[in-house]
Structure formats: structure tokens, C-alpha cells
Amino acid sequence: MTLSKRFSATSADPIPTSPSSPFRPHSPDSTRPDSLVVVSFYKFADFPDHADLRKPLKQLCQDLVLLISSFSIVAVLHPLSFCGIILAPEGINGSICGTRESVERVLSFIQSDDRLKGLRRIESPVSAEQEAIHHGHSSSSPLAAGEDAPFRWDHVRVKLKKEIVTLGMPDVSPIEKVGKYVSPKDWNALISDPDTVVIDVRNNYETRIGMFKGAVDPCTTAFREFPSWVGDQFQPDDADVEHAKVREGSDESINKDAESPKQKMPKRVAMYCTGGIRCEKASSFMLSKGFDEVYHLKGGILKYLEEIPKTESLWEGECFVFDKRVAVEHGLVQGNFKLCYGCKQPVSDADMEAPEWEYGVSCPYCYLTKSEEEKERARARQRQFEAWGVIGGPDKGRRPAAKADSIKTDQTNDSASG
């Protein structure tokens, strides 16, 4: 049976909307069935027919995005609040927020393909306060809390890409070889060993707000820069002597390079990232380059912060996450950083006091990189949001009522004149 037939045979069941429905408006009871949960997941797999999954998966997610409203629009309900999923020949990667039942339905549907069984998943709880903001109960808006909402609601994206995490090296496959997983409880001992070089595989805007104690920061702006950094940083043992040789008649630049040989390959490398997916590819890459002992943190920083008490932790700062929570601390509670909507980088209270800060437009990290034209466009978007609660105005994505009425009137006139 082909993948397309297997998935097309399954569709979302109708979601009850009667008073007996388990999906009810927000209440302070955290055990209720409509409590929100965030799950990040991925799986590397041989998945050449990945495109066949896109349509049925997206349809299921859209069916689970539900809006219930009375005539006065006082109740908002989203069994599935947002869904962002990437499908590629090497597997699946995604993040989903919704009620427990809706999230599990999506994950079960994905794992109905044997190749995607055993998804690596990390779950983050959503506080009652975040849920209240998310559902709009603390906002004057009857629909949602806009930019204050910790998660973007009514948002479904299922994309096809070449890689589920972009390294730009299709020959690197975690399916064939990958580093050794280290549980959070064993992580401290590994990175405290002086023979272990600890590497943060994330980008500079992530490392800026938090890292493990003693870790090396490659200062990359994108994951695809990691291979080049490794090549610049480390020299294979059997090439050290050759690297130091200077041929007769070589120029000054070669002599200068010989005077500053690259660092020898470390005995042991331990890597970490947000949820573990980048480390799988990075460890596979490093093994292919001759590194012998390559380890990575199972479940990433998020799993570590969930399981390791702050009193025993070697983590310093906050962990950037790719949703409107911006950052989390130990116990996966929401952190103190906000987001610059001009560049999507985390900003602190001090950053927002800087002269380069303009809400919705720029921050100290992007101010100099933006032209005045770009800043003015950002100001226009911000004015739209403040006026209508959505960028593009209240009629974005639908025919404005005035135009619809006009069309109806024109049709009536045409009929009368005919």
C-alpha cells in the first residue's frame, strides 16, 4: 500500500460543539481536557515519498483548528492552536500546540506510517496565565490577545523542504550514523570532564541569552555555517605535521598560517542544541570527519531544564524557543526576554531602553542593518496591527463586507436592467 493511500484513508472525525463537548471555554482548572500543551517532535527516516503526507496531514490539522463563537463572540476555542511541520526526504520535524486530545490525534496520525513511529518528542506545559492570554480572556479583544498571546492561534503550516533541519550537506545522514546520546542526568559529569570539549550547536542570537557553563560558542548565524566552523577550528591528527610544513618559495600568507596551526582534534566532543535535532546532524557530520567520541544531549536543553533542578544545573541564562514565549527557564517556565518583531531576536529589558529600540520596528541588534525604507514599512505594519489587531487590516483573507454588498447590488441592478 502506498503512502498516499494509507494517509488519504484517514480523516478527522467531526469535533463536537454541543454543550456536552469536552472542549469548553477557559477555566482555571489545569486538569480540564482543553488544557493546552506544546509538543516539539522530529524523526530522521528514509522518506522519499514525503510529499504524499502533506495534504492529508494539513487537512487534519485544519479540521482541528476550531472557532466557537456566540452572536456576541464571547467564547473562543482552539483544540489545535498552531501547527508548524516540515516534511523532507530525510524525515519530519515540527511543533504543535493544542489540547492534549488534538495533539495526540495529529501525532498518532503521523506515526501511522511505520517509518515515522517513535517520534522524538519534547513536551512543554502551558501555564493557566498563558492560556488565559492566549484565549483572549485578559484582552479587550473578544478573539485573542494579539501580540501578547504566547502562541499564534489558527495557524497551520505543513511545508515540503529538502532537509528537516538545514545543514546544506545532503550526504550527512543521522540515519546511517549518529553520536552517542547522553541523558540529562549524566550530562553534568560528561561536560565537567576536562578532556571533553563542549560545543553549542545553536546560532548566536540563541547563545547570547544562555549557554552551558564552559561551552564553546561557534558564533554562527545559521546552522549551515557549522561545518565551516569545524573545518576552521580543528585539524585532523594525521595532518598536523603536513599543515605546519612550508614549501620552498611559499608566500607570506602560507607562512603565517603555519605559525598558527589549527587546534588538534579533541579526545571527546559533547554537543547540545534546543531540542536535539541539530545535534543529530552535527554529530553525524563530525563522525564523518574523523572525530572518534561524539556525544550529544538527549532531548536537548529543553529536556535538561525540565528534569534537572536549578540547584544542580550547569545551565546559565535562558533558552530561546521558536514561539511567542521567546525563552524558557528551569522547569520550562516562560523567561524574561521579549521578541523584536523587526528581526525576531530576543531582547532584554535593558535592550528595550536603548535608543535603537522601537517597538515592532527595530532593536539594538538589527537597527544598523535596516534601511529607513524597511523601518517605515515595519511602522506601517505596526500601525495596522494596533488599529485592527491583524496585519493587513480586518478584511485580510476575506472579501470586505462593503465590496460584497456592492457586488450584490450590482448583480441586482444587472438583473433588473436585463
Side-chain angles (χ1 to χ4, degrees):
M1 184 179 291
T2 65
L3 178 72
S4 58
K5 290 181 180 179
R6 182 187 306 127
F7 281 111
S8 61
T10 307
S11 61
D13 296 327
I15 300 174
T17 58
S18 66
S20 61
S21 170
F23 302 109
R24 298 186 181 89
H26 177 83
S27 72
D29 180 9
S30 61
T31 62
R32 69 190 189 285
D34 61 332
S35 294
L36 293 177
V37 63
V38 181
V39 176
S40 299
F41 60 91
Y42 71 90
K43 175 73 182 291
F44 284 98
D46 186 13
F47 202 23
D49 51 346
H50 61 286
D52 294 340
L53 176 56
R54 183 178 184 270
K55 185 175 180 179
L57 178 57
K58 185 174 183 179
Q59 185 61 57
L60 171 62
C61 294
Q62 288 175 332
D63 289 346
L64 289 171
V65 174
L66 177 66
L67 172 64
I68 298 177
S69 62
S70 67
F71 288 109
S72 58
I73 320 181
V74 295
V76 175
L77 190 56
H78 307 285
L80 195 64
S81 296
F82 78 76
C83 172
I85 298 174
I86 296 172
L87 301 171
E90 65 178 8
I92 186 169
N93 178 23
S95 183
I96 186 170
C97 173
T99 62
R100 169 72 61 184
E101 180 180 350
S102 65
V103 168
E104 292 300 337
R105 284 182 65 182
V106 173
L107 298 181
S108 295
F109 178 68
I110 291 170
Q111 294 181 101
S112 63
D113 187 301
D114 290 340
R115 295 169 296 180
L116 301 180
K117 286 187 183 296
L119 292 173
R120 295 193 179 277
R121 52 187 283 181
I122 300 171
E123 182 176 309
S124 301
V126 180
S127 70
E129 179 183 5
Q130 288 173 332
E131 285 193 51
I133 295 174
H134 175 74
H135 287 304
H137 292 274
S138 63
S139 169
S140 59
S141 167
L143 290 179
E147 290 186 0
D148 292 329
F151 312 104
R152 181 176 178 179
W153 59 273
D154 196 15
H155 180 69
V156 173
R157 294 288 185 273
V158 181
K159 297 183 178 181
L160 302 179
K161 292 193 174 184
K162 295 180 180 179
E163 300 175 80
I164 58 174
V165 57
T166 305
L167 186 64
M169 302 182 70
D171 293 337
V172 174
S173 174
I175 303 171
E176 298 177 3
K177 54 184 173 183
V178 71
K180 299 176 183 178
Y181 299 98
V182 181
S183 67
K185 66 181 179 64
D186 297 325
W187 181 250
N188 286 359
L190 174 65
I191 67 174
S192 298
D193 188 324
D195 290 330
T196 301
V197 173
V198 186
I199 302 175
D200 194 318
V201 184
R202 302 172 303 153
N203 299 318
N204 54 8
Y205 61 90
E206 299 170 87
T207 59
R208 175 166 54 80
I209 69 171
M211 294 178 64
F212 276 105
K213 185 177 181 180
V216 176
D217 181 4
C219 299
T220 56
T221 59
F223 185 47
R224 63 169 58 247
E225 296 175 7
F226 182 75
S228 296
W229 177 82
V230 172
D232 293 339
Q233 188 76 14
F234 302 108
Q235 181 70 28
D237 291 340
D238 59 358
D240 282 345
V241 176
E242 189 66 29
H243 177 78
K245 287 182 179 179
V246 181
R247 293 174 302 165
E248 186 177 352
S250 60
D251 60 23
E252 182 180 351
S253 62
I254 296 178
N255 279 289
K256 183 177 180 181
D257 185 54
E259 293 170 2
S260 303
K262 298 178 183 179
Q263 199 176 322
K264 287 185 177 182
M265 276 194 176
K267 177 181 179 181
R268 184 182 303 114
V269 171
M271 298 183 294
Y272 67 89
C273 55
T274 307
I277 185 170
R278 281 177 281 188
C279 285
E280 295 227 20
K281 266 205 167 177
S283 67
S284 181
F285 166 75
M286 296 191 80
L287 287 171
S288 71
K289 292 300 179 182
F291 289 80
D292 292 327
E293 293 187 53
V294 181
Y295 300 83
H296 50 109
L297 178 58
K298 187 175 183 179
I301 303 164
L302 295 179
K303 200 65 177 176
Y304 182 91
L305 294 179
E306 177 187 353
E307 295 186 0
I308 305 302
K310 188 173 183 179
T311 53
E312 302 174 15
S313 176
L314 295 180
W315 175 260
E316 300 175 335
E318 298 182 12
C319 177
F320 181 83
V321 291
F322 296 89
D323 56 55
K324 285 192 175 183
R325 292 174 299 173
V326 184
V328 295
E329 300 177 323
H330 286 86
L332 300 182
V333 299
Q334 187 169 351
N336 299 307
F337 284 83
K338 300 297 187 293
L339 199 68
C340 169
Y341 289 97
C343 64
K344 302 299 187 293
Q345 291 198 41
V347 289
S348 64
D349 290 341
D351 293 328
M352 291 186 285
E353 294 295 329
E356 298 88 354
W357 168 258
E358 183 177 352
Y359 187 77
V361 178
S362 64
C363 71
Y365 305 102
C366 67
Y367 181 84
L368 294 177
T369 66
K370 291 183 176 294
S371 66
E372 283 305 315
E373 183 180 354
E374 290 173 318
K375 293 173 187 174
E376 190 51 46
R377 285 200 301 266
R379 292 184 186 104
R381 288 194 299 269
Q382 187 59 30
R383 287 193 295 269
Q384 289 175 348
F385 190 91
E386 291 172 355
W388 303 108
V390 61
I391 294 173
D395 297 319
K396 181 181 181 181
R398 64 178 67 87
R399 176 179 291 172
K403 291 185 179 180
D405 292 340
S406 176
I407 292 171
K408 186 175 181 181
T409 301
D410 291 342
Q411 289 173 339
T412 302
N413 292 338
D414 289 342
S415 176
S417 63

